[in-house]
Every structure is written in C-alpha cells, then in structure tokens.
C-alpha cells in the first residue's frame, strides 16, 4: 500500500484469486452481500467476479466517496473504472462517533485498529449506514456502460479483498481517514470522561461503602466455596545459600542474612501450622494476633534461636548487653517469652491491692512454721533468707522462680500462680543437682 495523504490510500494490484471463496473476513463478505443484494444486473456481476478472480484489476485508489482502478479486458484493453459511494454527512459522523464513545467495547476496539462486526448494527441504530444499500454504488467507466459493467463490478469485488486486509478502508470511503477518526475518538472519549467524573464522584459519595448484608447473604448459594487449604509442609523450607564466589557488598553479613531468612521461614511455618490446626473440623481457625515485639524483644527472640557466636555477638551489641546479659535474657525467653523477659529486666511496684493479694497468697501457701522467711523489696520481689532463691511477681499475677548464680539473679523456671509451687521448684532443682 502507498499514499502520501491520509485522505487517499493506494493498494497494489492483488494476484489472481483461486478457490471458491472470494472474501474471507466478515467485512469483506458483508460488502459482497450488500453488493449482490443491491445489484440490478446479476450477469454483469458474474462477469466482474470472474474478471477480478483472474487478477485483471490494477492498483486500487481509495478516497472519500470514490474508489478507482484500471481494469483490463481479455484483449488487454485498459478501462478506468470508478465506483462512487456517498460520504457520510457531518451529523452522521457525529452520531457514529458518539455511539462509539458511549460503548466501551467499540472505542477500545477502534483505538486498537479493530472493526467489530456488530459496529454495523449499532451504527444503523444510531441512524448511520456504513455498508452500501440499493443504488448507493454509482459506477463510472470509460467503456461507456450506463450501469455496472464487468469492469466496475470487478472493482467492487476487489474492494472486498481490500476489506479483508483493512476494514478501515470502508470508513475512508465514507469520508474519514483512519488517523482523523482515531484522533476524534480520543478527543470525544477524554471530554466524556471529564464530564462524567464529577457525577461519578458524587455517586461514590452517595453510595454506602461495602456490600449490603442482605445482598451478601443472598449470594451465599451463588459464590463457589473456597478451595481446600494446601497441604502443610513437614518442615520449613531451606533459605538459599549465599556463600558464593562473589564477595558480599560493603556492610553485608552473609551469615546474619542466612540466619534471618531461616528464622522467617520457621515463623511462617509455625503460623501456617497454627492456622491449619483445625483442618479436621472447621478448617482454617481464627488465631489471636500476637502482640508486636519491640526491636529489643525481637533481638532476644532471635538470640534464643541459637544463631551462633558471630550473630549472637552482633545481637548483644545491638541491644547494649554484655554476652552474659544476653544469655540470661535468652534463658528468660525460653521460660516465658516477652513476659519472662520483662520480669528479668524490669522493676515495677504492684498497686496496693495487688500487693495485698500477693501477701495473702504467700501467707496461705504454707502452714505455720513451714513458711520460709521471705524478705520483700517492695518491687514485687521476695528473697528467701539464707538461700539463693527468689520469687518475682509478674504483672499477670504469676510467680517466677529465680536463683542466684555467680552473683546475679537468673531465671530458673516458668511462672506458677502458687508461690509455694514456684519456690518448691527451686528446691527440687537443687536436690536434682545435688544428686
């Protein structure tokens, strides 16, 4: 195809058309049907179809309202043939463009250089006829025929093959080149979007958020059931190996990064295990949301995962702890997580009523002379006189056993709501150590 102006397109001559069908696309076949349904002389159409099939039609020029080609007879005589088709009026083009803009499917297809077949029906409903009707194709030929001759009929058949290549040729013949048409569509589409935006915003404000309860319940028998949860992996996946021949970037600790990746996988596996723990019953179970850890608490949690001496040293430095202090924090974490860590490192003064309940619990835990002598500090800590044992009251009301080791108090077990049981834990452990 060639041409210097969008208002005129010239298509090179097509080779002979072999086989039974002449046009293959919907647009080409629709053009042929309109041609054959409106022709007055069927004999001339048959001659023209044979002429076109033999490849006797030269290059075809398409302009608004006219198609032109040189058609050769069997003896080689050349005839200039033209077929005229009335251009659409300005009002008709406005109706066509408005129709296309109002239908999202049409404008999307046209902007993608596609011509959907139902465009013809929708355009007709808007009062615009794209395909020719009876008497719409007006022939002009140098052979002198007053109606369609084999030359103009051959040109019409060749037009069907051109529509196979590009349906926009029909719109050019009706008066609009492709570029102009697409530009006008974009302008109208943008203007329509600007005009409807305020209305859509107001409608969004008026429309309540979410879905009405009755609509949600009405759809319960329509919406398909959720798929079965995936099988739980037996263990967390292994993180990728980062020990490669390429040296790490500045400040990148490969060992620490591998440890963090493994920790993330282990936490994800644990969370998934908790979520799927009710698979035999109600399926996914709603689990309580764990409180978010502070950076200091999370550092102790990571250290409790036995990261190795290098990473443990970094965690100790990052939390302003000595290595021995971090070891105590890790021991507390193993006994009770954040609560046990708070008992180790925080001092608090119970409210008078909580302190009174604690003293009552201590008095009732032993009978008479069996009660050990406990010296309170006023900060929820009671130390056994003459023994390296201590009870610490947590904010949750639990009693935590502590033992003095190398001059500092160290957690010795989990909490118990009975202070006597917590203190007996220290005695039992001492007896076991002695044995």
């Amino acid at each position: 195809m060639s041409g210097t102006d969008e208002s005129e397109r010239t298509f090179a001559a097509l080779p002979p058309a072999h086989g039974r069908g002449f046009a293959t696309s919907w647009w080409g076949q629709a053009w042929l049907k309109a041609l054959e349904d409106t022709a007055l002389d069927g004999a001339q159409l048959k001659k023209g179809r044979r002429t076109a099939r033999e490849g006797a039609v030269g290059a075809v020029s398409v302009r608004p309202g006219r198609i032109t080609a040189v058609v050769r007879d069997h003896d080689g005589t050349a005839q200039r043939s033209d077929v005229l088709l009335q251009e659409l009026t300005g009002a008709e083009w406005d109706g066509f463009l408005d129709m296309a803009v109002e239908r999202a499917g049409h404008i999307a297809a046209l902007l993608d250089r596609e011509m959907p077949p139902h465009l013809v029906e929708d355009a007709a409903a808007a009062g615009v006829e794209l395909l020719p009707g009876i008497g719409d194709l007006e022939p002009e030929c140098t052979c002198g025929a007053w109606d369609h001759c084999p030359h103009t009929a051959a040109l019409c058949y060749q037009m069907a093959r051109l529509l196979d290549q590009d349906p926009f040729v029909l719109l050019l013949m009706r008066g609009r080149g492709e570029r102009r048409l697409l530009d006008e569509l974009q302008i109208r589409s943008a203007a329509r979007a600007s005009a409807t935006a305020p209305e859509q915003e107001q409608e969004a404000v008026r429309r309540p958020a979410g879905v009405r309860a009755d609509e949600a319940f009405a759809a319960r028998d329509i919406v398909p059931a959720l798929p079965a949860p995936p099988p739980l992996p037996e263990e967390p996946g292994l993180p990728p190996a980062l020990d490669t021949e390429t040296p790490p970037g500045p400040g990148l600790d490969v060992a620490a990064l591998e440890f963090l990746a493994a920790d993330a996988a282990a936490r994800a596996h644990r969370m998934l295990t908790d979520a799927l723990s009710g698979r035999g019953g109600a399926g996914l179970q709603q689990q309580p949301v764990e409180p978010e850890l502070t950076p200091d608490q999370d550092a102790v949690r990571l250290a409790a995962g036995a990261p190795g001496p290098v990473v443990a040293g970094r965690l100790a430095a990052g939390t302003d702890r000595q290595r021995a202090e971090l070891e105590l924090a890790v021991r507390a974490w193993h006994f009770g997580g954040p609560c046990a860590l708070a008992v180790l490192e925080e001092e608090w003064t119970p409210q008078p009523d909580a302190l009174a309940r604690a003293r009552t619990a201590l008095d009732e835990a032993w009978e008479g002379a069996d009660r050990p002598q406990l010296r309170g500090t006023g900060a929820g800590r009671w130390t056994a006189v003459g023994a390296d044992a201590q009870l610490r009251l947590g904010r949750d009301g639990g009693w935590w056993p502590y033992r003095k080791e190398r001059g500092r108090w160290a957690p010795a077990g989990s909490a118990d709501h009975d202070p006597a049981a917590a203190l007996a834990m220290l005695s039992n452990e001492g007896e076991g150590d002695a044995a």
Side-chain angles (χ1 to χ4, degrees):
M1 183 199 76
S2 63
T4 59
D5 191 333
E6 195 206 19
S7 62
E8 179 176 353
R9 298 176 64 184
T10 302
F11 295 82
L14 297 176
H18 301 291
R20 295 180 59 186
F22 203 88
T24 58
S25 71
W26 183 93
W27 284 97
Q29 293 174 357
W31 170 271
L32 287 182
K33 186 176 187 304
L35 169 67
E36 294 169 354
D37 287 348
T38 59
L40 298 179
D41 191 343
Q44 296 297 334
L45 288 184
K46 291 181 180 179
K47 293 179 181 179
R49 181 169 60 246
R50 185 166 56 250
T51 301
R53 191 182 295 279
E54 293 171 352
V57 181
V60 179
S61 174
V62 184
R63 302 187 299 278
R66 180 185 295 267
I67 54 176
T68 305
V70 173
V71 183
R72 295 189 178 274
D73 290 321
H74 287 287
D75 60 2
T77 304
Q79 305 290 347
R80 171 185 166 133
S81 299
D82 294 77
V83 176
L84 284 61
L85 178 63
Q86 185 69 38
E87 297 182 47
L88 298 180
T89 65
E92 288 174 328
W93 274 113
D94 287 338
F96 174 81
L97 294 171
D98 289 341
M99 177 277 301
V101 169
E102 289 175 358
R103 291 166 173 77
H106 285 337
I107 189 170
L110 289 170
L111 292 178
D112 284 341
R113 297 194 71 256
E114 297 177 359
M115 288 268 286
H118 50 277
L119 188 69
V120 171
E121 296 179 0
D122 291 341
V128 180
E129 298 292 342
L130 295 180
L131 292 170
I134 298 177
D136 285 348
L137 295 177
E138 182 179 346
E140 291 182 356
C141 186
T142 55
C143 73
W146 64 273
D147 194 6
H148 275 293
C149 61
H151 311 107
T152 57
L155 175 56
C156 287
Y157 276 100
Q158 198 75 328
M159 179 68 176
R161 298 179 68 185
L162 298 182
L163 288 171
D164 280 352
Q165 299 179 14
D166 189 351
F168 277 85
V169 175
L170 176 61
L171 297 182
L172 174 58
M173 196 174 179
R174 283 296 197 180
R176 285 287 193 276
E178 179 183 330
R179 186 68 265 158
R180 179 182 175 185
L181 174 69
L182 297 182
D183 288 345
E184 291 183 357
L185 279 174
Q186 289 178 328
I187 293 173
R188 288 174 184 253
S189 178
R192 187 173 187 274
S194 300
T196 58
E199 298 178 3
Q200 294 174 346
E201 293 175 358
Q202 294 177 5
E203 177 63 22
V205 172
R206 291 192 296 266
R207 188 187 309 116
V211 180
R212 288 169 50 93
D214 56 349
E215 295 178 358
F217 280 106
R220 68 184 183 275
D221 297 328
I222 302 174
V223 178
L226 292 175
L232 178 68
E234 295 183 359
E235 57 186 14
L238 296 176
L242 302 179
D243 186 10
T244 63
E245 297 180 356
T246 305
L252 180 61
D253 189 331
V254 173
L257 186 58
E258 288 180 338
F259 172 74
L260 290 175
D263 175 75
R267 294 183 68 191
H269 185 267
R270 178 177 59 80
M271 294 171 66
L272 185 59
T273 302
D274 293 342
L276 298 177
S277 59
R279 179 179 299 179
L284 292 175
Q285 301 297 302
Q286 185 68 34
Q287 301 293 328
V289 179
E290 297 181 358
E292 184 176 357
L293 301 179
T294 66
D296 185 79
Q297 291 172 332
D298 198 48
V300 175
R301 181 192 66 80
L302 290 171
V310 176
V311 177
R314 291 193 59 178
L315 291 171
T319 57
D320 294 328
R321 290 183 175 92
Q322 299 295 326
R323 184 68 66 90
E325 294 174 335
L326 181 61
E327 291 176 356
L328 286 179
V330 167
R331 186 190 301 184
W333 189 273
H334 283 305
F335 285 132
C339 293
L341 182 63
V343 171
L344 170 69
E345 298 185 333
E346 298 176 6
E347 289 192 14
W348 70 294
T349 301
Q351 295 294 327
D353 56 342
L355 188 60
R357 287 194 299 270
R359 292 187 182 280
T360 301
L362 289 172
D363 292 338
E364 295 177 349
W366 293 274
E367 295 181 0
D370 292 338
R371 175 183 176 181
Q373 293 185 359
L374 299 174
R375 183 177 65 251
T377 63
R381 299 179 179 180
W382 284 265
T383 304
V385 177
D388 292 335
Q390 187 181 81
L391 294 177
R392 294 189 179 186
L393 180 64
R395 296 181 186 271
D396 60 350
W399 297 89
W400 296 82
Y402 271 70
R403 178 184 293 108
K404 182 171 286 188
E405 298 177 359
R406 294 192 296 273
R408 59 173 66 183
W409 291 106
S414 301
D416 197 304
H417 285 281
D418 182 359
L423 194 60
M425 184 187 305
L426 294 171
S427 301
N428 293 337
E429 288 187 359
E431 293 175 359
D433 292 342

